[in-house]
Amino acid sequence: MALLFGTIISLAFVPWLLVKAWLLPLPNTIQAQVTEAVDLGLDGIIVYVETKGKPPEFYSAGWFDRADKISADPHALFKIGSINKLYSAAAIAKLVNNNQLSLDKTLADYFPELATRIENADKITLKMMVQHRSGIPNYTDTPNYWTYPTGSYQETLDLILDKPASFKPNSDYEYSNTNYLLIAKLIEKTTGKERFQYIKDEILTPLNLVNTYGSLNDVNIETVMGGYHVGVEDDIKSSNYGGMIATAEDVGIFLRALNDGSLFKDGGQEIYSSIYKYEHGGWIPGYQSHAKYYKETDTVVIQFNNTTDSELYYWNLSEIIFNRIAKILNDNEHK
């Protein structure tokens, strides 16, 4: 009886909706899968698909604005979260290729003022920072960060100064947004431009990407897709956590150029390949994103959805949906 009771209790904690999402028969079309994602609980979803030699395809379902019942727009602006690390890593590769930075120089070399404030600063190289192998603590893991986000570089950096390292440099991997906070400042110190301005000049403008912005302050907020977090009734898109904003198409064009090497001059892609990956996801309250290039079908897929929760339940759901879309594309390719 005790075993039976324990089994019944444990079943109450099984994420049945995720199990359902995984086991449902695979639809024949991406639009059907996108619609199903909303039926499973996502407020809104956008998907961009671009296969080499074919016109790009756009899909959407659910809400751009839940309260006003405005349907999701596949061309809407969206907070892309940590996808922006791909842009920063590409910027670093360009600067290294131009001999303006060295991957082997240390945090203490570039930021002498932090030599005694960040543990192992004299051993942490720029390459380790790009690859999340520095051991520098992650500022977004500090208590209540997402409830009370900081408003400046220094306020954010102060959250981790004088804290013990997570591990010895290059001995482990731990995703840390602090690495890219410092990388953004390094780009500024090196070029005399804010990180986004350098990215705009060296990446966006050459690719003619006019729907990518540095922050929420640079756009008309009415053009940004609504963001929803479980437990919060209202749209939270006006909450400014920093980071870039873009359309799915702009992210897709960038990702294509990153993967095929057209983003770089001679030698640049080899440097990039040695320091970072070619795909990424993004999460900030109200916004989840996935960006990936599939070599086997020569296809770029971008997925945005605007529902999050603190337990990352909806992140797992969005990953299931993203993987199912890839399976649909692969199945259709081989028909």
Side-chain angles (χ1 to χ4, degrees), residues 303-319:
Q303 178 180 300
F304 295 160
N305 69 268
N306 59 350
T307 309
T308 60
D309 65 295
S310 299
E311 288 73 36
L312 301 183
Y313 176 88
Y314 283 102
W315 174 260
N316 292 327
L317 177 60
S318 72
E319 284 192 316

Side-chain angles (χ1 to χ4, degrees), residues 77 194 196 212-221 223 240 243 245:
L77 292 173
E194 290 188 354
F196 180 75
T212 302
Y213 301 89
S215 77
L216 194 63
N217 298 325
D218 300 327
V219 301
N220 176 357
I221 197 169
T223 63
N240 195 350
I245 293 173

Side-chain angles (χ1 to χ4, degrees), residues 231-251:
V232 180
E233 183 175 349
D234 297 330
D235 182 347
I236 60 172
K237 71 178 177 181
S238 61
S239 299
N240 195 350
Y241 297 99
M244 290 165 59
I245 293 173
T247 61
E249 183 174 25
D250 263 29
V251 174

